[in-house]
């Protein structure tokens, strides 16, 4: 049923103007409120106490729930439950998010009403809505959901609670618990939804890796060098990589020990890394197949630092460009490809000169592309180990490198390891 049909149904049931209902419904949907909850909210607004739900659907195992389901009845163990505040129609609304499990699988949920959920609870949710989120089904528990707490335990093959290492976190995770050291921390002011807002941002680290964070309600325990336990954090995407978000509902506790932080980034195959949707700190090994256009000696806008073409910035128009060095190269390991981006310092290292040297070469050759050609001759066809921040979006996969070194891995050892893995 499309928006027009839902609005028609509501207007007919409530005896109100269809366009007014349609406008209210569209506003709620734009803020990701599930359709059943949105319709229930409008029924309450216009004086009809009904929930808008139909008869109770039959019970389903979690692994059998698909994005094609409308409403289901499901029983399971609450693995995680964490509060978060969202805003729609100008009002703040506290929701509870987490993960539910039974013997067959796990599923994320969002509770739009306060059911008093806690990790370890065994529940049965009747008439729970199902929506698609990032390609997967998600449960929505709202006014039309009948929820009961069960005494009979359910044995599930998952741990109750949100304990996780940074390397295991993915965009969309919620109600997670982490123990980390604050590697970088900066207090800054942003233009938030309530005007100017002070936040903390920086980088967390543990033995498994590193992730950027934002603390929306600055906690004094989060300071550079501190080791803390954070409960009820959630993960969202920021600039193509997962970011830990610490909210007003998160609990931050100082630890009486230092959290160990690994010096090495996890090494992944390119295909597996790209499939995660983004990794903040990762090491990829592969062959440099090509140096892309837009490499070598480039010009940047003095206002926004974007690369300009023929003196033109997309934002600021005609500008006097500032010379800089950059490399954009294709790395391939047989499982996938990624564009590796080297900043000016790393480019100087592979080029063997600075911006002044690049200007001189371009003048002598009367061709700016000569600098990129020199870089191509140096690095194309060689194998490199690259560490950096991997982002994946509609334009492809890009690795912003922090280190770029020719690989000293023994191909025979790698081949033997690969064969062992295949045979296993």
């Amino acid at each position: 049923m499309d928006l027009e049909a839902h609005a028609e149904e509501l207007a007919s049931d409530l005896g109100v103007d269809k366009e007014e209902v349609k406008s209210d419904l569209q506003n709620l949907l734009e803020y990701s409120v599930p359709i059943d909850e949105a319709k229930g909210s409008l029924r309450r607004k216009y004086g009809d106490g009904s929930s808008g739900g139909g008869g109770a659907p039959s019970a389903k195992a979690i692994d059998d729930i698909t994005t094609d389901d409308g409403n289901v009845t499901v029983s399971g163990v609450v693995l995680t439950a964490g509060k978060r505040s969202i805003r729609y129609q100008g009002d703040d609304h506290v929701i509870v998010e987490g993960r539910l499990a039974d013997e067959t699988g796990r599923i994320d949920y969002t509770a739009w009403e306060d059911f008093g959920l806690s990790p370890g609870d065994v529940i049965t949710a009747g008439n729970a809505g199902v929506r698609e989120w990032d390609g997967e089904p998600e449960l929505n528990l709202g006014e039309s959901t009948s929820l009961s707490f069960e005494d009979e335990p359910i044995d599930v093959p998952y741990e109750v609670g949100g304990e996780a290492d940074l390397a295991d976190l993915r965009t969309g995770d919620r109600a997670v618990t982490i123990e980390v050291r604050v590697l970088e921390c900066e207090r800054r002011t942003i233009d938030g939804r309530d005007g100017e807002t002070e936040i903390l941002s920086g980088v967390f680290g543990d033995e498994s890796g590193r992730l950027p964070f934002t603390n929306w309600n600055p906690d004094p325990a989060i300071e550079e060098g501190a080791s803390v336990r954070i409960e009820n954090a959630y993960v969202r995407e920021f600039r193509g990589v997962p970011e830990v978000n610490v909210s007003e509902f998160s609990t931050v506790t100082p630890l009486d020990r230092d959290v160990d932080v690994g010096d090495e980034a996890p090494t992944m195959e390119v295909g597996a890394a790209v499939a995660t949707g983004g990794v903040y700190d990762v090491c990829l090994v592969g062959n440099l197949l090509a140096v892309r256009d837009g490499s070598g000696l480039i010009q940047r806008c003095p206002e926004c630092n974007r690369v300009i073409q023929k003196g033109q910035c997309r934002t600021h128009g005609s500008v006097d460009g500032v010379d800089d060095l950059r490399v954009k190269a294709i790395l391939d390991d047989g499982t996938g490809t990624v564009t590796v981006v080297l900043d000016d310092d790393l480019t100087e290292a592979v080029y063997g000169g600075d911006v002044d040297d690049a200007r001189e070469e371009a003048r002598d050759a009367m061709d700016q592309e000569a600098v990129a050609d020199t870089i191509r001759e140096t690095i194309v066809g060689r194998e490199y180990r690259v560490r950096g921040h991997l982002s994946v979006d509609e334009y492809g996969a890009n690795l912003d490198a922090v280190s770029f070194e020719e690989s000293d891995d023994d191909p025979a050892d790698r081949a033997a390891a690969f064969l062992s893995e295949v045979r296993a």
Side-chain angles (χ1 to χ4, degrees), residues 392-412:
V392 183
D393 56 26
E394 64 270 26
Y395 301 108
N398 291 279
L399 183 69
D400 290 323
V402 297
S403 69
F404 181 78
E405 300 172 351
E406 193 161 0
S407 173
D408 57 2
D409 291 358
D410 187 332

Side-chain angles (χ1 to χ4, degrees), residues 13-88:
D13 290 349
L14 301 172
V16 295
D17 180 69
K18 173 186 170 183
E19 291 304 315
E20 183 178 357
V21 171
K22 180 180 177 182
S23 176
D24 286 346
L25 187 60
Q26 190 165 15
N27 285 337
L28 290 170
L29 295 179
E30 286 176 354
Y31 283 93
S32 300
V33 178
I35 185 65
D36 285 346
E37 305 311 318
K39 290 168 70 175
S41 176
L42 294 183
R43 289 180 185 277
R44 294 191 297 274
K45 174 181 177 180
Y46 290 104
D48 183 348
S50 68
S51 67
S58 59
K60 268 200 165 187
I62 286 177
D63 193 48
D64 294 331
I65 298 173
T66 72
T67 55
D68 294 329
D69 290 314
N71 294 77
V72 297
T73 292
V74 62
S75 297
V77 179
V78 177
L79 299 181
T80 57
K83 290 183 177 180
R84 186 156 67 93
S85 177
I86 65 170
R87 176 169 294 181
Y88 66 87

Side-chain angles (χ1 to χ4, degrees), residues 62 65 74 98-102 105-109 130 137-139:
I62 286 177
I65 298 173
V74 62
R99 186 165 286 173
L100 187 72
D102 66 7
R106 297 176 291 184
I107 190 169
D108 290 332
Y109 71 84
V130 180
E138 177 183 288
L139 293 177

Side-chain angles (χ1 to χ4, degrees), residues 18 21 23 41 51 55 67 85 104 109 117 121 126 152 164 181 198 225 248 256 267 275 277 290 298 311-312 338 407:
K18 173 186 170 183
V21 171
S23 176
S41 176
S51 67
T67 55
S85 177
T104 68
Y109 71 84
L117 299 175
D121 289 338
E152 190 72 24
R181 191 192 306 171
E198 273 203 347
E248 60 188 298
D256 57 4
T267 299
I298 61 172
Q312 294 293 315
V338 64
S407 173

Side-chain angles (χ1 to χ4, degrees), residues 67 139 176 281 291 336 382 419:
T67 55
L139 293 177
V176 299
D281 189 22
V291 171
R382 297 176 180 271
L419 287 174

Side-chain angles (χ1 to χ4, degrees), residues 31 156 295:
Y31 283 93
V156 298
S295 298

